[in-house]
Amino acid sequence: MKRLLTQTLAAVALMAPVFSTLADSEPAPAAAPAISAPDKSGRVALNGLNYYYEIRGKGEPLLLLHGGLGSIDMFGPVLPAFAQERQVIAVDLQGHGRTALGDRKFSLEGMGDDMKGILEKLGYKQVDVLGYSLGGGVGFRLAVQHPEYVRRLVLLSAGYASEGFFQDIRAQQNTINADAMAFMKDTPMYQSYVKVAPKPDEFPRLLGAIGDFMRKDYDYSADVPKLKMPVMLVFGDGDMYRPEHMIKFYQILGGGLKDAGWMRENLSQNRLAILPNATHYDILYSPGLVSTTLPFLNGYPK
């Protein structure tokens, strides 16, 4: 039981709208590479929360949203490459990193609205968005609820419905609660949390909030067609989502329904990428991630 909970919680750090168990394949690296100091950092008070953000680089703005039980630091493997071409805005989500959990309900819809508020207060009228796992769910809601703020959207290891997970993963998502704290004290996730969290003793409450969140079924299929901006879906070939779900997501977006044509005249504006030798837990370390997503975010090829 202890081993199962430890594996499950290890996976939480790299989850999408909900979280799961670590696969029995080669484990992901314990910690992301250190990120250089930001050009600017600060806080935005919004809806009872005090969000922490960092900004690096110059160019068109790109909002990065991290995975569950992680923080901005989770983007260590890719943030420097993005910041070479873009102005990167990264946010610690509710209850994560340097942003306290607060008393408000933990929901994708609420955080989607919060991201709009943060962008507005920071003076951004429109950004590109790359959301990973839990951050993919937040980015999805931002784009659905406030589409005028999102120019292009990359959803990395994030599905549109709970039925998209493998059944054993979904079953294990239901095991997380505050009691799991007993198995977390020696994990890199907990150690990185207490290092920066404004209220380190809130970790059990965060686990409880995440557990309650995970146990709820969800289905955003009716919202997928509302995404009128270009969207790229990126998964690993060893992801926690069933391949059928990946394809269905792309098809609901209008892609993969017919041949693109000799002159690309039937090609959807949206894209699907399945990265080889990548799992949900180590996809940020995939050598093809930046070279796959950055051209799309930059608007080429048409």
Side-chain angles (χ1 to χ4, degrees):
M1 180 64 177
K2 179 177 179 180
R3 180 175 180 271
L4 174 60
L5 279 171
T6 301
Q7 290 178 325
T8 303
L9 288 160
V12 172
L14 301 173
M15 243 310 276
V18 273
F19 316 82
S20 84
T21 180
L22 189 59
D24 289 330
S25 58
E26 182 179 352
I35 306 173
S36 62
D39 299 328
K40 179 182 179 182
S41 65
R43 293 187 177 275
V44 174
L46 201 67
N47 299 325
L49 299 171
N50 196 19
Y51 280 97
Y52 175 80
Y53 71 89
E54 295 180 351
I55 298 175
R56 291 174 175 82
K58 296 180 180 180
E60 293 292 326
L62 170 63
L63 176 64
L64 294 185
L65 302 172
H66 64 79
L69 282 192
S71 67
I72 293 168
D73 301 325
M74 185 176 276
F75 284 110
V78 295
L79 197 155
F82 284 126
Q84 285 182 359
E85 296 194 28
R86 293 300 200 92
Q87 183 174 71
V88 176
I89 311 111
V91 177
D92 279 342
L93 297 174
Q94 181 182 358
H96 292 70
R98 301 153 188 85
T99 301
L101 181 60
D103 296 320
R104 199 193 65 186
K105 180 182 177 182
F106 191 90
S107 74
L108 297 179
E109 289 82 359
M111 285 187 280
D113 286 340
D114 291 344
M115 294 308 107
K116 177 259 187 184
I118 290 171
L119 293 173
E120 188 175 43
K121 290 196 175 189
L122 292 178
Y124 295 99
K125 294 183 178 179
Q126 192 176 59
V127 299
D128 293 332
V129 178
L130 187 152
Y132 167 55
S133 200
L134 170 67
V138 175
F140 178 91
R141 295 314 312 175
L142 168 63
V144 169
Q145 294 160 204
H146 306 283
E148 69 278 11
Y149 276 84
V150 181
R151 187 181 71 163
R152 287 175 173 263
L153 175 65
V154 174
L155 299 178
L156 177 59
S157 282
Y160 66 85
S162 53
E163 60 81 26
F165 295 101
F166 287 106
Q167 288 187 358
D168 58 334
I169 294 295
R170 188 66 180 132
Q172 292 178 45
Q173 291 167 356
N174 296 327
T175 66
I176 305 303
N177 56 47
D179 294 338
M181 174 64 192
F183 307 109
M184 291 291 292
K185 291 182 178 179
D186 296 325
T187 66
M189 287 170 289
Y190 175 71
Q191 292 164 2
S192 62
Y193 174 87
V194 298
K195 206 177 281 186
V196 298
K199 298 180 179 179
D201 57 350
E202 281 197 335
F203 196 71
R205 200 162 72 87
L206 174 60
L207 292 177
I210 286 175
D212 292 343
F213 170 65
M214 287 191 300
R215 279 183 282 277
K216 295 179 180 178
D217 288 330
Y218 68 97
D219 186 344
Y220 293 135
S221 56
D223 287 328
V224 174
K226 298 177 184 178
L227 299 175
K228 302 303 182 184
M229 71 290 293
V231 179
M232 172 176 270
L233 307 175
V234 184
F235 295 94
D237 59 358
D239 220 302
M240 63 171 61
Y241 290 96
R242 295 181 294 107
E244 306 95 294
H245 185 78
M246 305 174 192
I247 299 301
K248 185 64 176 177
F249 199 166
Y250 186 50
Q251 290 177 328
I252 298 175
L253 283 168
L257 299 176
K258 57 184 175 181
D259 176 71
W262 183 259
M263 301 298 294
R264 299 165 63 94
E265 64 272 15
N266 298 322
L267 184 64
S268 166
Q269 70 171 353
N270 303 311
R271 299 289 179 265
L272 170 64
I274 299 179
L275 301 179
N277 195 33
T279 73
H280 189 85
Y281 320 104
D282 60 17
I283 196 168
L284 284 172
Y285 289 82
S286 172
L289 179 57
V290 174
S291 61
T292 296
T293 58
L294 192 55
F296 171 80
L297 290 167
N298 287 341
Y300 58 87
K302 299 293 186 183

